[in-house]
Amino acid sequence: MPDSRCSFCTKDADSVGTLVAGAGVFICDECVALCAQLVKDKKTSGPAPRVPMWEQVGDEALLAHLPRIEAVRDQVDDDLRAWVAEARRRELSWDKIGAALGMKRQSAWERFAG
Ligand SMILES: [Zn+2]
């Protein structure tokens, strides 16, 4: 997975120990450990914890983070395409795929075919 990034911290696969794939998202070993600690601490009130926390990054780091977020968005889109391709490999109709995505058959075909 040379281009895959952790969807939480946006580090690339080469910068982390392990990267685990989910449905359109990835999480690295460091974020799993951080999340496990947050769950253990039972932080349930207030806004969801953000990785990295805005208060902990300067302006340059914040700007550097923007293209990595865009890359994560692109990998979510790529994974959706892979799931739709699997649905088509299973010969599921464009009607069913469109319905699952809340769009018309034609819209699903235009977005994902080819
Ligand atoms: Zn991470």
Side-chain angles (χ1 to χ4, degrees):
M1 292 182 286
D3 296 319
S4 298
R5 289 182 175 276
C6 175
S7 303
F8 291 79
C9 67
T10 72
K11 289 178 184 168
D12 63 37
D14 294 337
S15 303
V16 299
T18 303
L19 199 58
V20 179
V25 297
F26 295 85
I27 191 166
C28 74
D29 53 328
E30 294 172 29
C31 287
V32 167
L34 177 60
C35 291
Q37 186 62 48
L38 291 168
V39 169
K40 186 178 173 194
D41 295 345
K42 294 188 184 299
K43 182 178 181 335
T44 55
S45 62
R50 181 181 298 277
V51 179
M53 295 177 190
W54 284 342
E55 303 79 21
Q56 295 177 343
V57 297
D59 293 348
E60 291 302 316
L62 189 146
L63 290 171
H65 205 64
L66 299 181
R68 295 195 300 260
I69 293 171
E70 191 164 37
V72 167
R73 183 194 62 190
D74 290 346
Q75 79 185 7
V76 169
D77 206 49
D78 290 347
D79 201 49
L80 176 57
R81 288 183 182 286
W83 279 76
V84 169
E86 174 62 13
R88 290 298 297 158
R89 192 191 67 73
R90 295 182 184 192
E91 300 183 348
L92 297 173
S93 70
W94 285 112
D95 274 335
K96 285 185 176 178
I97 293 167
L101 290 167
M103 61 177 63
K104 293 187 184 313
R105 173 199 178 283
Q106 183 69 21
S107 298
W109 182 84
E110 286 174 2
R111 181 170 170 190
F112 298 106

